[in-house]
Amino acid sequence: MPTEVRNNIALERFEITVDGEVAGYTEYQDTAGERAFVHTEVDPRFDGSDYARALVESALDATRREGLGALPMCRQVQRFIGTHPQYLSMVPHWARDRLGMPQ
């Protein structure tokens, strides 16, 4: 099924659509230099799919392109970064310490 991830700026969230239907989102709040990811949710109908991974990866890639750091307040984003260390550099050292992430 065709998927697309887009930044819904009005709702402050990245959304993943499947066949045009919103299947999940990750909400954020921007600060001066970072984007805090506060909640990620995928519709239960899409559990077991790889949509959550694709959503978080696309959101982090877009955040990096915008020159922002990432504050993974959401457990799902924390887990993703924990298993994809190429994104760890986006998380400020002070936040890594508070969130129990590697330095």
Side-chain angles (χ1 to χ4, degrees):
M1 289 190 254
T3 63
E4 178 185 13
V5 175
R6 65 183 180 95
N7 186 355
N8 185 334
I9 296 168
L11 295 178
E12 293 186 303
R13 68 186 198 177
F14 286 88
E15 300 171 336
I16 187 165
T17 58
V18 178
D19 285 336
E21 178 184 356
V22 175
Y25 57 88
T26 184
E27 296 175 332
Y28 64 83
Q29 296 172 350
D30 285 347
T31 65
E34 287 108 17
R35 176 166 285 153
F37 290 93
V38 296
H39 180 71
T40 303
E41 190 171 315
V42 174
D43 189 303
R45 293 177 294 143
F46 299 100
D47 279 350
S49 67
D50 216 15
Y51 297 137
R53 182 210 51 83
L55 170 63
V56 171
E57 184 173 37
S58 293
L60 288 171
D61 287 344
T63 298
R64 180 179 279 157
R65 283 191 303 275
E66 292 177 44
L68 296 171
L71 299 174
M73 310 309 285
C74 163
R75 285 191 198 119
Q76 196 150 358
V77 177
Q78 282 180 26
R79 281 193 301 271
F80 179 86
I81 292 173
T83 58
H84 297 83
Q86 65 269 32
Y87 293 98
L88 186 60
S89 64
M90 294 178 67
V91 181
H93 286 281
W94 65 265
R96 293 182 207 177
D97 186 50
R98 289 185 185 172
L99 298 170
M101 300 178 81
Q103 290 296 319

